[in-house]
């Protein structure tokens, strides 16, 4: 009961001792609530990790694609420069 009163914000309040049945019921209720909040928090944390991993994989894929496109553009620019160089030499 003291723990529940502290959680509710009451400090130093005098609490009459509970009988064993009421104490067990209150303890079970407190434990059940803690378990529910713990499982909920764990689910939120795991979902956050999943989303962060998915975002990281998407970012890596985009970076890889961008790198491939840059390489292809550089290759096309080299080919174009070679063609321009050959075109000037073959024709008067």
């Amino acid at each position: 009961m003291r723990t529940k009163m502290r959680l509710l914000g009451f400090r130093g309040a005098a609490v009459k001792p509970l009988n064993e049945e009421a104490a067990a019921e209150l303890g079970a209720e407190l434990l059940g609530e803690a378990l529910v909040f713990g499982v909920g928090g764990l689910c939120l944390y795991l979902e956050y990790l999943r989303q962060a991993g998915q975002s990281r994989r998407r970012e890596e894929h985009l970076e890889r694609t961008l790198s491939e496109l840059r390489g292809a553009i550089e290759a096309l620019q080299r080919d174009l420069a070679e063609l321009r160089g050959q075109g000037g030499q073959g024709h008067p």
Side-chain angles (χ1 to χ4, degrees):
M1 188 66 180
R2 281 186 221 126
T3 303
K4 185 173 183 180
M5 295 299 281
R6 284 186 189 131
L7 289 174
L8 293 174
F10 296 106
R11 302 274 184 224
V15 177
K16 289 190 276 182
L18 297 174
N19 64 20
E20 192 172 320
E21 185 179 320
E25 184 178 323
L26 191 58
E29 182 180 323
L30 189 63
L31 184 62
E33 289 177 6
L35 184 65
V36 168
F37 283 120
V39 168
L42 180 63
C43 287
L44 287 174
Y45 178 69
L46 292 175
E47 180 63 20
Y48 169 77
L49 289 179
R50 188 182 72 84
Q51 289 291 332
Q54 196 174 36
S55 176
R56 181 180 44 81
R57 283 189 300 275
R58 186 179 310 122
E59 199 64 33
E60 288 172 355
H61 175 71
L62 288 174
E63 188 64 37
R64 219 175 17 252
T65 303
L66 185 59
S67 176
E68 291 171 1
L69 288 173
R70 284 180 181 149
I73 289 172
E74 289 173 4
L76 288 173
Q77 287 175 338
R78 281 192 305 270
D79 291 347
L80 182 60
E82 287 178 19
L83 289 174
R84 284 184 179 163
Q86 289 174 359
Q89 294 172 356
H91 296 286

